[in-house]
Amino acid sequence: MGILDSDSCPPSSPQRLDQELTWSWGHRPRSEAMAPPPPLAASTPLLHGEFGSYPDPSLRLALTLTPQALHIQKLRPKPEARPRGGLVLLTEVSGCCTLRSCNPSDSAAYFCIYTYPRGRRKGRRKATHTFQADGAATYEENRAEAQRWATALTCLLRGLPLPGDGEITSRLLPRPPRLLLLVNPFGGRGLAWQWCKNHVLPMISEAGLSFNLIQTERQNHARELVQGLSLSEWDGIVTLSGDGLLYEVLNGLLDRPDWEEAVKTPVGILPCGSGNALAGAVNQHGGFKPALGIDLLLNCSLLLCRGGSHPLDLLSVTLASGSRCFSFLSVAWGFVSDVDIQSERFRALGSARFTLCTVLGLATLHTYRGRLSYLPATVEPASPTPAHGLPRAKSELTLAPAPAPPVAHSPLHRSVSDLPLPLPQPAMMSPGSPEPLPSLSLNGGGPELAGDWGGAGDAPLSPDPLVPSSPGSPKAALLSPIIEGAPETPASSEFLPPTPDGDPVAVSPGGPLDHLLPPLGTPLPPGWVTLEGDFVLMLAISPSHLGADLVAAPHARFDDGLVHLCWVRGGISRTALLRLFLAMEHGSHFSLGCPQLCYAPARAFRLEPLTPRGVLTVDGEQVEYGPLQAQVHPGLGTLLTGPPGHSVREP
């Protein structure tokens, strides 16, 4: 077993560390408040200067850095006010670095930016811009200028305040955030590991983030891992898979004796699976256009590189056996859960399996008898646009009031230690040499020149980090030792009875009390609304997205304190149901005026299936069939979302 460990920089002073964790990554006590820096106009020039282009320094460029973009203007040999590629949006930048020449007689310093602009076919492609700072006579002065630009750009990317009239130096930068990456190598038709190596790790390294990476090996492995972590050593836990791996992480955090602090650990998701609902919501929150596949992964990776977090509502779900689990996504019964579980047989098809099973489900459409009760929200959700008017459920029946273990510490199993990650740059020529520049190998701490560069002689440029590592500080010294051993199982049951497929589903014994819910099987308090009848589907969803391209609750927010109940009554035709799901791709299904589609925002709900057989899912995972109830816990978790987007800003 092992870990892929990135190069690490030593922690800076406690004050600087706290600054970065609070502003850039949101890892702070909930009672503290921090005022953001005063907003700057989008066109406010922050830095302006002249640089040489690399590898052709005779091409002179004027650079202007604003809060939203880097503007590049060609000065010589032929001035161009708006050259091609002359506008670099910060939303498309993963990171930057400074480099120096291996030629001791070269007094220039180099400033490199990594970007992922959209191409003509709308897909993102990597582009690297390298500029030569050569306006001063000495290397030290040119290095200071290159680092000034790199520091300012990094501060803008991470949301760190820049001094008003003060000097911009690398001392403004705290040590890099340390992320634990958990990847399911079998996710996304087995492409998750390849996508991780080829796309995610290079981008995280370009951003200067520090990371350790672990491959999961089995169901509930991630849950076991986070139970035994020393969470103070991590600034975030990021899953590279579908929604299921994050479900394990959150429930593992809530399994811990210190769950109240553990659940504040920021968690993130990079979509490398079939079901990528939360990633779709993060993508929308970041202001990007809807995307799938690699494009969605690159969008979410760009947002992760920028840092920033958001409170995340979690749903405590109590099942028929009395066990609890926590949901960040949805509880489903009927058509949606049937499609979700039946599609497991077609995992090799990737996300197309949901389309196939939707068609099969429409061909054999079922209705289910049940009783749905909910506690209406006291505060109305943010009103959707007129096109998304929501039909309100009418109260049909209001019930009368009635009287009122040790944690398993699992080792971190397989390691993939010292995995080489070659990251080729575009073919560039070094000054005075016909040889191409070397490939860059990014292992988390910043760009490093690959040892197997095929050029003649030494590599032309070498890294010149903004925050250098202290000599004699091994990477492993920053982490607690990891002890091998078989995971222990508490005497009390942590797992539900096996599902029909034979796999146990883990549930969480920890977490906050459900103060809005009486025990299952007892009457509900006053103020609840109860509906009984035939349902085609019932969906209780927290974020906006049911899938990467399915917007089930277009007005939902990560921290609105609501569970959004959507249900379809019996009597709907197959054509009308298909029309609803097609409209859901744009979040416009409520505007169709379908009489069987109902919606209600709630703080808690109870579902009592009256049909003897059926399927219930929590975050896409099948759970025991029977009555269940759930309550929203507002802002219980913390989600790494990146900065919010005000609109779709892409060309």
Side-chain angles (χ1 to χ4, degrees):
M1 177 217 98
I3 307 169
L4 174 60
D5 189 3
S6 71
D7 292 335
S8 303
C9 296
S12 58
S13 67
Q15 180 180 4
R16 287 299 177 193
L17 174 59
D18 180 69
Q19 176 191 8
E20 196 231 344
L21 294 181
T22 54
W23 178 249
S24 184
W25 290 88
H27 190 82
R28 64 175 182 270
R30 298 302 173 86
S31 59
E32 296 183 15
M34 182 174 180
L40 295 171
S43 58
T44 302
L46 302 175
L47 291 177
H48 181 80
E50 180 178 334
F51 287 79
S53 178
Y54 185 79
D56 181 10
S58 64
L59 177 61
R60 308 302 296 176
L61 304 170
L63 304 185
T64 303
L65 181 63
T66 69
Q68 290 193 355
L70 176 69
H71 301 260
I72 306 172
Q73 182 180 358
K74 186 176 178 182
L75 298 178
R76 293 193 302 271
K78 181 180 179 181
E80 292 182 28
R82 295 185 179 181
R84 183 178 179 181
L87 180 65
V88 178
L89 299 176
L90 298 195
T91 55
E92 299 176 341
V93 175
S94 61
C96 62
C97 69
T98 54
L99 303 169
R100 69 172 301 173
S101 174
C102 292
N103 183 354
S105 63
D106 186 356
S107 62
Y110 298 86
F111 168 45
C112 181
I113 303 176
Y114 303 100
T115 70
Y116 290 80
R118 287 195 171 276
R120 294 181 178 178
R121 297 184 179 180
K122 302 301 181 182
R124 292 195 183 277
R125 296 292 184 268
K126 183 186 172 185
T128 304
H129 302 268
T130 304
F131 307 101
Q132 178 174 309
D134 53 6
T138 65
Y139 169 73
E140 288 72 19
E141 293 175 290
N142 290 324
R143 179 178 185 264
E145 178 67 3
Q147 292 199 340
R148 187 166 74 103
W149 280 76
T151 299
L153 180 57
T154 302
C155 287
L156 290 176
L157 292 175
R158 295 192 186 175
L160 298 172
L162 287 170
D165 298 322
E167 184 181 3
I168 299 176
T169 69
S170 59
R171 290 191 297 273
L172 293 172
L173 299 177
R175 63 107 170 128
R178 188 172 190 92
L179 302 180
L180 176 62
L181 307 181
L182 301 178
V183 57
N184 173 12
F186 305 106
R189 294 181 294 172
L191 295 175
W193 181 233
Q194 179 181 339
W195 287 4
C196 176
K197 290 189 297 180
N198 295 344
H199 302 286
V200 175
L201 297 187
M203 293 181 72
I204 288 178
S205 299
E206 292 158 7
L209 307 182
S210 182
F211 66 86
N212 276 41
L213 185 146
I214 303 169
Q215 291 188 23
T216 59
E217 298 177 326
R218 60 184 182 278
Q219 189 177 19
N220 293 318
H221 190 189
R223 182 190 181 105
E224 297 166 2
L225 294 177
V226 299
Q227 290 177 18
L229 289 178
S230 176
L231 293 175
S232 62
E233 296 171 344
W234 306 96
D235 301 321
I237 301 174
V238 180
T239 61
L240 289 83
S241 185
D243 295 311
L245 201 58
L246 185 59
Y247 171 85
E248 292 186 20
V249 168
L250 285 169
N251 281 275
L253 292 174
L254 285 157
D255 271 342
R256 296 168 57 109
D258 61 344
W259 65 264
E260 290 183 89
E261 287 301 315
V263 76
K264 297 177 184 178
T265 303
V267 297
I269 187 166
L270 295 178
C272 294
S274 301
N276 299 310
L278 187 62
V282 169
N283 183 72
Q284 176 177 282
H285 177 268
F288 292 125
K289 293 180 179 180
L292 296 172
I294 289 291
D295 283 346
L296 179 61
L297 175 62
L298 294 179
N299 287 353
C300 292
S301 298
L302 283 171
L303 293 169
L304 178 68
C305 289
R306 305 230 8 218
S309 61
H310 205 282
L312 178 66
D313 295 342
L314 296 180
L315 197 64
S316 168
V317 183
T318 303
L319 303 169
S321 64
S323 302
R324 274 205 312 172
C325 58
F326 286 84
S327 161
F328 65 89
L329 183 57
S330 66
V331 176
W333 175 53
F335 185 83
V336 172
S337 58
D338 291 347
V339 168
D340 211 348
I341 297 307
Q342 291 171 7
S343 69
E344 292 293 324
R345 297 178 296 168
F346 306 103
R347 274 195 169 271
L349 299 178
S351 59
R353 64 190 174 105
F354 298 112
T355 303
L356 172 62
C357 288
T358 297
V359 174
L360 295 177
L362 287 170
T364 59
L365 191 61
H366 298 288
T367 57
Y368 300 88
R369 188 80 181 172
R371 184 182 300 119
L372 173 64
S373 306
Y374 62 91
L375 179 63
T378 55
V379 179
E380 290 296 311
S383 298
T385 60
H388 295 162
L390 304 181
R392 300 291 174 178
K394 296 181 179 179
S395 174
E396 297 182 355
L397 173 66
T398 302
L399 297 183
V407 175
H409 284 244
S410 170
L412 305 181
H413 291 283
R414 275 170 81 202
S415 89
V416 284
S417 179
D418 299 325
L419 180 72
L421 299 171
L423 178 67
Q425 280 190 335
M428 297 193 293
M429 306 301 291
S430 62
S433 169
E435 305 296 340
L437 285 181
S439 297
L440 294 183
S441 175
L442 298 181
N443 255 359
E448 299 177 0
L449 292 179
D452 58 348
W453 176 55
D458 294 332
L461 299 181
S462 63
D464 190 7
L466 295 175
V467 185
S469 301
S470 61
S473 297
K475 295 182 288 185
L478 295 178
L479 294 178
S480 298
I482 299 168
I483 301 173
E484 293 281 356
E488 303 170 3
T489 303
S492 59
S493 174
E494 285 190 9
F495 297 94
L496 296 179
T499 64
D501 295 330
D503 294 325
V505 178
V507 297
S508 179
L513 296 176
D514 295 328
H515 64 283
L516 298 177
L517 296 174
L520 266 173
T522 63
L524 293 166
W528 284 62
V529 175
T530 297
L531 311 170
E532 183 174 334
D534 293 329
F535 296 84
V536 171
L537 67 87
M538 196 291 297
L539 177 66
I541 189 166
S542 297
S544 56
H545 284 57
L546 180 60
D549 56 348
L550 287 178
V551 188
H555 53 292
R557 302 188 306 272
F558 294 124
D559 63 341
D560 57 15
L562 302 173
V563 55
H564 302 271
L565 301 178
C566 308
W567 64 93
V568 175
R569 291 186 173 277
I572 190 172
S573 67
R574 292 177 174 85
T575 302
L577 186 60
L578 176 60
R579 190 180 297 118
L580 284 180
F581 278 95
L582 292 176
M584 198 179 292
E585 293 183 5
H586 308 286
S588 59
H589 46 296
F590 290 113
S591 65
L592 297 180
C594 176
Q596 290 84 16
L597 174 63
C598 301
Y599 165 85
R603 299 171 60 198
F605 73 93
R606 176 183 287 180
L607 176 63
E608 300 169 274
L610 303 179
T611 302
R613 298 183 62 182
V615 175
L616 285 168
T617 59
V618 176
D619 291 358
E621 304 294 327
Q622 186 173 1
V623 297
E624 61 179 299
Y625 187 70
L628 61 77
Q629 60 186 18
Q631 172 184 327
V632 178
H633 292 278
L636 181 61
T638 303
L639 181 65
L640 293 171
T641 59
H646 301 291
S647 61
V648 177
R649 298 156 294 187
E650 303 171 57

